[in-house]
Amino acid sequence: MTDTNKMGRRSFLRKAALGGSAAGVAGLAAPAVLAQAPMVLKMQTSWPASNIWQEMAQDYVTRVEAMAGGRLKIDLLPAGAVVGAFQVLDAVNDGLLDIGHDVPVYWYGKNKAASLFGTGPVFGGSATTMLNWFYEGGGKALYDELTQDIMGLDVDGYMAFPMPAQPFGWFKDPVSQVSDLDGFKYRTVGLAADLMNKLGMSVAQLPGGEIVPAMERGVIDAFEFNNPSSDRDFGAQDVAKNYILSSYHQASESFEFLFNGLTMEDMEPDLRAILIHGVEAVSTANTAKAARRYSADLAYLRDEAGVDVQRTSEEILAAQLDAWDELIPELEQDPFMKKCLDSQRAWVDQVVYYELMNSPDYTLAYEHYFPGKLNL
């Protein structure tokens, strides 16, 4: 379908909807007031309906509709309602969806550089560091270059909610040495898959909703998804009891909000601004919700579900960094990926120096007020 045909179809449908409303009230006696019908947008996520991330997407919808004052309505759908979890980008580009809510690594199969906007080496930066890079360090321009210029997509994307570093994952038995990982069938996504292959694992890239069934069938031996709440929602505690936190494989990720280009062009400027800046608003809301829910669900897993909560060993963390050192030169053979990595290195070098020099030892303070709780 050409851009002209897509625009014509979209405009025709909206004009028809408004025209129908006008016809319906034409016969009313004056001075009847015609209320403008809201513009309805279709939005799908990459998450199951029961997952906390679907709730976080709803938080965006709630804020946008409130700010739009009845002029916008968003029909929010879970993964699979229109397309599969890994097909959201294509659906937004093709106009099947007006808005998508996913993570860039879910379209890593189209271009490996997608992973640099969510699951890259990060060089010691946090998710907040990299979200700041997206908005203040040149990341958005590079993202647009990748999606619009290199890939030729009709999408406009924005990032929200700097996620806590992802757990190393769920294992049936404890692992503390690199040799313990050899031959494991492990679920992760994006460049983390390349990284874990270098540690001797065999990796399957699966959507979240397929993880626990794959574990039950023996398709995988271990897995990570993202956070204690999603893991609890999936029933991870029913298939493994060793939950290992802290890892460099996905130390930085944020949600991706994808907007169809024609939809945005056909939007009144103030409504377009609400959609874009609503991403910033929900980023704060999602961060606050995650702090409350993730910590509470971790306590549930530890105290009520019989899960042994651990931290990744220093040996495995060091091996992950060595694996990144081996992987980065391979990635930099691609000129665009090298440009992204150079930009990220320069940003991290600048801002994390300040962050680390300026930050007090929070572990020392926590142990001062809550002695004996940490198992480091």
Side-chain angles (χ1 to χ4, degrees):
M1 181 181 292
T2 66
D3 286 354
T4 302
N5 288 339
K6 282 197 290 186
M7 176 69 85
R9 175 180 175 275
R10 190 180 301 278
S11 298
F12 170 78
L13 291 174
R14 286 180 179 150
K15 289 175 181 176
L18 292 174
S21 297
V25 299
L28 296 179
V33 177
L34 172 63
Q36 182 181 357
M39 179 180 288
V40 180
L41 303 179
K42 184 176 291 186
M43 175 178 176
Q44 189 198 293
T45 74
S46 291
W47 329 122
S50 60
N51 192 270
I52 186 175
W53 284 2
Q54 189 72 9
E55 183 180 328
M56 289 179 168
Q58 180 61 53
D59 290 339
Y60 171 77
V61 171
T62 300
R63 282 157 178 76
V64 165
E65 291 184 345
M67 289 187 285
R71 294 166 60 204
L72 276 180
K73 176 172 174 47
I74 298 177
D75 183 15
L76 179 64
L77 304 167
V82 178
V83 294
F86 285 4
Q87 281 76 54
V88 169
L89 173 69
D90 285 336
V92 174
N93 178 61
D94 294 340
L96 295 175
L97 299 172
D98 297 297
I99 309 172
H101 187 264
D102 65 351
V103 285
V105 73
Y106 272 20
W107 45 273
Y108 160 89
K110 292 183 173 298
N111 194 307
K112 276 196 173 187
S115 206
L116 299 183
F117 296 90
T119 57
V122 304
F123 307 108
S126 66
T128 299
T129 307
M130 304 318 294
L131 184 62
N132 293 343
W133 167 76
F134 183 83
Y135 285 107
E136 290 289 332
K140 169 61 172 164
L142 288 165
Y143 174 92
D144 289 346
E145 181 180 347
L146 173 63
T147 55
Q148 298 172 13
D149 299 337
I150 296 175
M151 299 176 68
L153 301 174
D154 186 25
V155 299
D156 189 21
Y158 297 86
M159 302 295 173
F161 173 40
M163 301 176 187
Q166 297 182 23
F168 189 36
W170 292 83
F171 296 80
K172 293 182 178 180
D173 298 304
V175 295
S176 59
Q177 301 176 11
V178 177
S179 59
D180 295 336
L181 307 176
D182 191 48
F184 264 70
K185 294 176 290 186
Y186 180 84
R187 181 273 177 192
T188 189
V189 290
L191 287 176
D194 300 65
L195 190 77
M196 295 309 182
N197 282 332
K198 291 186 178 297
L199 296 181
M201 291 185 176
S202 172
V203 177
Q205 302 203 40
L206 303 171
E210 297 179 18
I211 295 173
V212 168
M215 190 81 163
E216 291 172 332
R217 297 194 311 270
V219 175
I220 55 175
D221 305 312
F223 64 91
E224 62 80 34
F225 178 70
N226 185 276
N227 64 81
S229 296
S230 292
D231 292 346
R232 177 184 176 181
D233 291 342
F234 288 140
Q237 65 275 14
D238 298 327
V239 294
K241 291 298 184 183
N242 291 276
Y243 192 27
I244 305 179
L245 305 182
S246 81
S247 180
Y248 291 128
H249 77 287
Q250 285 182 282
S252 165
E253 192 165 30
S254 296
F255 286 139
E256 174 183 54
F257 286 78
L258 291 163
F259 300 96
N260 175 269
L262 289 176
T263 297
M264 297 299 267
E265 288 175 13
D266 203 25
M267 189 87 56
E268 293 294 329
D270 63 328
L271 295 181
R272 187 186 310 123
I274 287 171
L275 288 172
I276 292 172
H277 296 305
V279 175
E280 299 172 4
V282 83
S283 186
T284 298
N286 288 170
T287 299
K289 177 169 286 186
R292 175 174 62 84
R293 294 276 294 277
Y294 289 7
S295 59
D297 284 324
L298 180 64
Y300 166 84
L301 293 169
R302 181 195 62 204
D303 299 337
E304 299 183 44
V307 173
D308 186 7
V309 178
Q310 307 153 33
R311 283 175 58 86
T312 304
S313 71
E314 290 189 6
E315 178 183 327
I316 292 176
L317 289 174
Q320 289 179 349
L321 292 177
D322 290 340
W324 276 121
D325 288 344
E326 186 179 339
L327 184 57
I328 288 169
E330 299 173 11
L331 303 176
E332 290 183 330
Q333 293 178 22
D334 178 279
F336 177 78
M337 293 186 79
K338 185 177 189 312
K339 182 162 62 171
C340 281
L341 290 164
D342 285 344
S343 176
Q344 290 176 342
R345 262 188 296 255
W347 178 260
V348 172
D349 185 22
Q350 174 186 330
V351 304
V352 174
Y353 172 82
Y354 163 71
E355 290 172 0
L356 294 177
M357 288 296 289
N358 189 59
S359 296
D361 186 340
Y362 290 111
T363 301
L364 178 66
Y366 186 86
E367 290 185 320
H368 177 83
Y369 290 104
F370 307 99
K373 293 200 71 172
L374 290 178
N375 182 23
L376 302 178

